[in-house]
């Protein structure tokens, strides 16, 4: 590209005619850079992070607490795609082929079911509370009490009822995830602009139509933010539940992190932690773009 | 001013009649009632262009909300065609002061809204045509598929105007409909509205803060006093139409005197409103 440019300049000299071409070339470079700069910066950023990690861990020199980045990456690879676990004693060495993938799947199942239940139950509750004063008066003391209470404090009682199986995990996910959905949905209904409702009334909308054509679309972006909160809260819920339930085998990512750390397997601990971070990141970014798609009018700023 | 209209002698039958009407709002948080309008006596005649002026907060919007059927009077009565106004009606359409366009609908979907909730007896293609031509009338052609957040404030206001007029309502309630427009667009739309009034005999209740706009458009101008509002005075504007097509209504011999009189009244009320706050 640079060659072409100089060649072009040499034939045309410094004439005006060559200027648009020069600018054109500049533009393309700038455009490519503008598109690529964030991924590139992120890549550089992550590489520096990995290098610092490697270097710091080597100096710190305690692989149980902080493994080197490369050890972690090795455990990550074995845990996800297998082909490298050389241990023969399965009961004592957690780092088996696919161990992260297996536990990841366990976590995802509980988390997914709990989240879907929270959304399916939370939205109607929020809608009813927002739409009816009676429902609001009856339900809001419970909703506000439970949503303010540190949900984990309920664990000892829940154990009595649900035991230490999957049920208590679902319960904890739902208890952490449902309230942001309820409260945000409720807030959307409650704050629907009166002038929009008035407009619908003037043009003949029935109560039902006002609800369908004004209140619901107005509330939708609130619901999305509620779900977004539920995603991160629910993840906390499932991980804590997995910490506390302590299965004997494949108890989910939280269980794996807990066990690996207790067994001083630093590489696996960090590899599982990384997997959790990636999951959280993907979910949050996914819902962020979902929000922008569903309610473009509410986008305050673009990044 | 003259009490007997000379030019607009064709004033029709009473269409909206408010008698000793008092109306206001329930302030939920403070558990109080706020009287916005008190003891209103005002008649809107068929085919008339009635303008409401008055200081901010005096209850102009409240009045047209009552006419639309969005508010019920606390005392007194308000009737449309002789019947008490109980709710909204296809006959009465409204341009909202804060536009009230649905942010999740495109321009076209917003303008089409009045056909969605009521059966106007028009076929789908007729509706399509009417929506298209109305969007053209307010100068929004090419923006049919834009969302309100992609439009300027004045364009959003024009969406609200198009939506209110697309069904050709018998009574148009317009709450500062040209407030956010530039002078040029405003004049074009004023002239269009006047044409509509002359051709179709459209009845209009129109709120404005501009005295010039009030005199240019109104057959009568009602001055509302500061809160709680009541009708302070009604002024006839006996200037022949069309006033705007020819331009320069301001050169009309009556214009200056009318303007001065109105200005005096409105200033009085605005100052009174301030005094009330202190
Ligand atoms: N939804 C509402 N709830 C409670 N009070 C209201 C409401 N709308 C208006 N008011 C009160 O009623 C009074 C009259 O309001 P209104 O909107 O009719 O005034 P306005 O003459 O249209 O003013 P402006 O010229 O500023 O639009 C105001 O003092 C306001 O405080
Ligand atoms: Mg108003």
């Amino acid at each position: 590209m640079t060659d072409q440019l100089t060649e072009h300049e040499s034939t045309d000299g410094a004439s005006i005619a060559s200027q648009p071409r020069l600018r054109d070339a500049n533009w393309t470079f700038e455009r490519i850079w503008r598109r690529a700069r964030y991924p590139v910066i992120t890549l550089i950023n992550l590489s520096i992070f990995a290098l610092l990690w490697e270097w710091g861990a080597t100096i710190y020199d305690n692989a149980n607490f902080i493994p080197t980045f490369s050890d972690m990456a090795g455990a990550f690879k074995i845990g996800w795609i297998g082909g490298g676990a050389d241990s023969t004693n399965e009961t004592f060495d957690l780092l088996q082929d696919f161990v992260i993938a297996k536990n990841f799947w366990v976590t995802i199942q509980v988390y997914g079911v709990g989240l879907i239940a929270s959304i399916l139950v939370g939205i109607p509750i929020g809608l009813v509370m927002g739409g009816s004063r009676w429902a609001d008066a009856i339900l809001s003391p419970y909703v506000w009490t439970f949503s303010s209470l540190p949900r984990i404090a309920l664990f000892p009682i829940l154990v009595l009822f649900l035991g230490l199986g999957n049920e208590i995990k679902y319960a904890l996910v739902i208890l952490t995830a449902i309230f942001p959905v309820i409260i945000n949905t409720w807030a959307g209904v409650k704050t629907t602009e009166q002038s929009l409702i008035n407009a619908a009334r003037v043009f003949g909308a029935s109560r039902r139509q006002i609800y369908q054509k004004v209140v619901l679309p107005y509330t939708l972006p609130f619901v999305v933010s509620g779900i977004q909160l539920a995603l991160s809260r629910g993840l906390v819920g499932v991980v804590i539940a997995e910490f506390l339930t302590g299965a004997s085998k494949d108890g989910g990512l939280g269980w794996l992190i807990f066990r690996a750390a207790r067994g001083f397997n630093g590489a696996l601990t960090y590899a599982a932690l990384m997997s959790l971070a990636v999951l959280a990141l993907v979910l949050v970014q996914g819902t962020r773009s979902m929000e922008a798609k569903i309610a473009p009018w509410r986008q305050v700023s673009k990044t | 001013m003259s009490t007997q209209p000379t030019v607009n002698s064709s004033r029709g039958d009473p269409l909206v009649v408010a008698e000793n009407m008092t109306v206001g709002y329930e302030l939920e948080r403070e558990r109080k009632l706020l009287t916005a309008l008190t003891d209103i006596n005002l008649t809107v005649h068929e085919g008339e262009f009635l303008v409401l002026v008055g200081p901010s907060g005096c209850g102009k919007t409240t009045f047209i909300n009552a006419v639309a059927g969005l508010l019920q009077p606390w005392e007194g009565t308000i009737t449309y065609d002789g019947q008490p106004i109980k709710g909204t009606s296809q006959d009465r359409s409204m341009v909202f002061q804060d536009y009230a366009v649905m942010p999740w609908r495109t321009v076209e979907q917003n303008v089409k809204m009045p056909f969605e909730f009521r059966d106007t007896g028009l076929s789908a293609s007729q509706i399509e045509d009417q929506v298209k031509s109305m969007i053209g009338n307010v100068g929004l052609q090419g923006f049919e598929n834009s969302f309100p957040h992609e439009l300027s404030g004045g364009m959003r206001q024009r969406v609200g105007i198009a939506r209110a007029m697309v069904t050709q309502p018998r009574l148009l309630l317009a709450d500062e409909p040209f407030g956010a427009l530039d002078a040029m667009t405003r004049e074009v739309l004023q002239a269009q509205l006047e044409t509509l009034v002359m051709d179709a005999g459209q009845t209009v209740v129109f709120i404005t803060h501009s005295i010039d706009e009030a005199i240019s458009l109104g057959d009568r101008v009602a001055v509302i006093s500061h809160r709680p509002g009541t009708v302070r005075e009604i002024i006839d504007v006996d200037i022949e139409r069309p006033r705007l097509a020819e331009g320069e209504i301001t050169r009309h011999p009556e214009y200056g005197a009318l303007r001065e009189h109105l200005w005096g009244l409105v200033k009085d009320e605005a100052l009174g409103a301030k005094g009330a706050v202190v």
Side-chain angles (χ1 to χ4, degrees):
Chain A
M1 206 155 111
T2 349
D3 282 344
Q4 257 183 351
L5 202 76
T6 40
E7 194 183 305
H8 185 81
E9 267 197 321
S10 61
T11 48
D12 266 23
S15 73
I16 301 163
S18 71
Q19 272 180 358
R21 221 159 233 262
L22 244 169
R23 193 184 278 164
D24 215 33
N26 265 335
W27 260 111
T28 0
F29 174 72
E30 227 174 276
R31 252 187 229 148
I32 292 170
W33 169 238
R34 197 168 294 170
R35 287 210 146 187
R37 66 184 159 180
Y38 287 116
V40 167
I41 289 171
T42 307
L43 208 69
I44 293 171
N45 196 0
L46 287 178
S47 312
I48 292 174
F49 176 75
L51 280 175
L52 282 178
W53 178 346
E54 187 80 24
W55 177 69
T58 315
I59 290 179
Y60 190 73
D61 196 25
N62 184 342
N64 296 334
F65 289 6
I66 307 178
T68 59
F69 181 79
S70 42
D71 281 353
M72 187 280 295
F76 195 89
K77 184 192 156 281
I78 294 166
W80 276 102
I81 52 182
D86 48 7
S87 166
T88 43
N89 194 338
E90 209 178 305
T91 40
F92 288 111
D93 195 351
L94 273 172
L95 184 54
Q96 298 295 320
D97 285 355
F98 316 115
V99 68
I100 300 179
K102 272 189 216 156
N103 282 283
F104 190 85
W105 178 234
V106 170
T107 299
I108 283 288
Q109 277 175 306
V110 172
Y111 177 59
V113 169
L115 265 182
I116 289 168
S118 299
I119 292 167
L120 290 184
V121 177
I123 291 174
I125 292 180
L127 288 177
V128 167
M129 279 177 66
S132 143
R133 270 172 217 219
W134 276 99
D136 197 8
I138 292 167
L139 292 175
S140 62
Y142 300 101
V143 168
W144 289 109
T145 308
F146 270 99
S147 66
S148 324
L149 186 76
R151 256 55 54 79
I152 198 65
L154 296 171
F155 191 82
I157 304 170
L158 290 174
V159 171
L160 298 180
F161 287 98
L162 303 172
L164 284 168
N166 267 345
E167 290 82 0
I168 197 163
K169 293 186 189 172
Y170 292 130
L172 224 54
V173 176
I174 291 172
L175 278 172
T176 45
I178 199 169
F179 294 103
V181 176
I182 295 178
I183 290 170
N184 272 274
T185 308
W186 170 84
V189 175
K190 278 287 181 194
T191 57
T192 306
E193 273 175 51
Q194 187 60 41
S195 72
L196 295 182
I197 295 176
N198 279 348
R201 282 175 65 195
V202 161
F203 296 112
S206 63
R207 268 185 74 97
R208 195 194 146 94
Q209 284 167 326
I210 289 172
Y211 216 77
Q212 277 176 352
K213 303 276 173 113
V214 183
V215 176
L216 284 185
Y218 191 90
T219 304
L220 191 61
F222 287 79
V223 175
V224 173
S225 345
I227 291 176
Q228 223 167 334
L229 271 174
L231 283 171
S232 47
R233 300 268 175 88
L235 201 55
V236 175
V238 70
V239 169
I240 289 182
E242 286 168 354
F243 279 177
L244 295 176
T245 46
S248 58
K249 194 173 185 297
D250 292 341
L253 267 188
W255 170 86
L256 184 64
I257 291 168
F258 196 73
R259 282 298 169 92
R262 213 175 55 180
F264 296 113
N265 191 336
L268 181 58
T269 311
Y270 281 72
L273 207 54
M274 277 288 175
S275 310
L276 195 61
V278 170
L279 171 65
L281 206 64
V282 166
L283 288 170
V284 168
Q285 292 301 324
T287 47
R288 261 177 69 170
S289 66
M290 185 164 93
E291 194 175 22
K293 277 213 186 83
I294 283 181
W297 66 92
R298 270 172 58 94
Q299 249 185 311
V300 190
S301 61
K302 283 176 195 161
T303 32
Chain B
M1 293 299 108
S2 55
T3 43
Q4 212 55 40
T6 49
V7 185
N8 302 308
S9 52
S10 58
R11 187 179 295 159
D13 298 331
L15 188 63
V16 177
V17 181
E19 277 180 327
N20 306 319
M21 180 178 71
T22 295
V23 64
Y25 300 91
E26 232 173 290
L27 300 181
E28 232 175 276
R29 242 179 314 139
E30 296 155 52
R31 291 161 208 267
K32 270 195 288 198
L33 298 177
L34 182 137
T35 311
L37 287 170
T38 179
D39 207 23
I40 292 282
N41 288 289
L42 195 58
T43 301
V44 185
H45 301 271
E46 182 106 51
E48 166 179 56
F49 200 118
L50 175 70
V51 178
L52 304 179
V53 295
S56 177
C58 71
K60 304 180 294 294
T61 301
T62 307
F63 180 75
I64 63 168
N65 278 346
V67 177
L70 293 170
L71 287 173
Q72 298 301 314
W74 292 351
E75 284 163 35
T77 56
I78 184 161
T79 59
Y80 177 86
D81 244 355
Q83 300 298 315
I85 295 173
K86 288 264 180 272
T88 61
S89 147
Q90 186 170 349
D91 274 9
R92 305 187 295 272
S93 194
M94 186 151 155
V95 182
F96 290 83
Q97 184 170 7
D98 52 2
Y99 321 150
V101 295
M102 309 290 158
W104 49 86
R105 285 173 174 243
T106 62
V107 168
E108 191 177 334
Q109 290 166 340
N110 263 293
V111 175
K112 209 184 259 178
M113 203 177 87
F115 296 105
E116 229 173 87
F117 303 132
R118 291 195 180 108
D119 183 17
T120 48
L122 296 180
S123 71
S125 68
Q126 282 172 312
I127 291 173
E128 209 69 46
D129 290 345
Q130 213 150 316
V131 168
K132 275 268 173 325
S133 79
M134 197 63 232
I135 288 173
N137 284 348
V138 295
L140 285 176
Q141 60 275 63
F143 293 95
E144 288 86 354
N145 297 319
S146 302
F147 284 92
H149 73 275
E150 299 163 332
L151 305 177
S152 73
M155 291 163 90
R156 250 173 270 165
Q157 188 158 39
R158 281 181 274 159
V159 176
I161 295 170
R163 180 181 61 180
M165 311 236 317
V166 72
T167 48
Q168 299 166 348
R170 197 161 149 212
L171 173 59
L172 179 68
L173 305 164
D175 199 345
E176 297 185 38
F178 305 148
L181 302 182
D182 61 288
M184 290 296 292
T185 313
R186 175 190 276 247
E187 267 175 43
V188 169
L189 287 176
Q190 281 175 345
Q192 271 182 16
L193 187 58
E194 177 171 60
T195 311
L196 189 76
V197 168
M198 289 174 60
D199 293 352
Q202 172 88 60
T203 313
V204 185
V205 179
F206 190 101
I207 295 173
T208 180
H209 276 125
S210 154
I211 288 173
D212 289 308
E213 188 168 62
I215 302 172
S216 309
L217 288 173
D219 294 322
R220 293 192 301 155
V221 181
V223 181
I224 314 287
S225 69
H226 58 81
R227 199 166 57 90
T230 188
V231 181
R232 163 92 187 255
E233 194 168 326
I234 299 176
I235 290 159
D236 289 304
V237 183
D238 295 331
I239 298 176
E240 63 280 0
R241 293 187 192 275
R243 300 171 186 168
L244 297 164
E246 310 290 312
E248 289 319 310
I249 177 198
T250 49
R251 290 211 201 103
H252 194 276
E254 280 212 41
Y255 190 88
L258 271 171
R259 191 174 196 291
E260 204 168 313
H261 182 68
L262 253 179
W263 178 237
L265 284 170
V266 171
K267 198 171 75 181
D268 231 32
E269 288 308 329
L271 291 176
K274 261 198 195 134
V277 174
V278 175

